[in-house]
């Protein structure tokens, strides 16, 4: 597993994190992320990168920058980066893996679910698939 590095191809024209063709999954801690990364590699997923909470906050969350100014973001990428920021602030580690051309969202969901991610996002062209449902908020 390699360390995560953000390159310009992983952002939108406005600079917001959007790694098209990749999945970004977050795990509760380093041990869970490393274990998941090893499991993914054992299943033939060779392009897996590990992102520590400081890396996520410094590189991924920073891309939000002024994306909402002067108008709110049209897409969901800003909302998702804020979720990623909250999880990283709570100590979550991330894994970025390249999706194969043949991967469907259901395939990726089935691949990741047993590994226990807190959240996972499949960045497709023009759509972000949430592979792990967000926990329900408190009842009102």
């Amino acid at each position: 597993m390699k360390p995560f590095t953000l390159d310009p191809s992983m952002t939108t024209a406005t600079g917001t994190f959007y790694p098209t063709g990749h999945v970004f999954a977050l795990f509760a801690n380093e041990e869970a992320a490393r274990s998941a990364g090893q499991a993914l590699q054992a299943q033939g997923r060779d392009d897996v990168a590990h992102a520590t909470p400081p890396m996520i906050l410094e590189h991924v969350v920073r891309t939000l920058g002024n994306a909402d100014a002067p108008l709110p973001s049209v897409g969901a990428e800003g909302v998702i980066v804020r979720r990623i920021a909250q999880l990283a602030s709570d100590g979550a580690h991330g894994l970025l893996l390249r999706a194969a051309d043949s991967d469907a969202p259901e395939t990726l969901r089935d691949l990741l679910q047993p590994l226990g991610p807190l959240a996972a996002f499949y960045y497709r062209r023009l759509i972000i698939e949430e592979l792990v449902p967000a926990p329900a908020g408190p009842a009102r």
Side-chain angles (χ1 to χ4, degrees), residues 14-16 61-73 82:
T14 60
T16 304
V61 176
R62 176 193 55 79
T63 69
L64 193 55
N66 293 326
D68 291 338
L71 299 172
S73 174
R82 285 184 191 87

Side-chain angles (χ1 to χ4, degrees), residues 6-78:
L6 180 72
D7 69 58
S9 71
M10 295 179 184
T11 61
T12 64
T14 60
T16 304
F17 184 66
Y18 198 107
T20 303
H22 289 78
V23 172
F24 194 70
L26 292 116
F27 295 85
N29 53 47
E30 182 175 5
E31 182 180 342
R34 290 200 179 276
S35 177
Q38 290 169 351
L40 290 166
Q41 288 178 319
Q43 294 179 45
R45 301 290 175 150
D46 296 326
D47 194 2
V48 179
H50 174 239
T52 64
M55 287 175 170
I56 294 169
L57 294 170
E58 180 180 341
H59 299 290
V60 174
V61 176
R62 176 193 55 79
T63 69
L64 193 55
N66 293 326
D68 291 338
L71 299 172
S73 174
V74 174
E77 60 269 12

Side-chain angles (χ1 to χ4, degrees), residues 83 109 113 117-120 130-136:
R83 270 193 59 210
R109 184 176 298 113
Q113 283 285 348
L118 301 172
E130 193 163 353
L131 302 176
V132 176

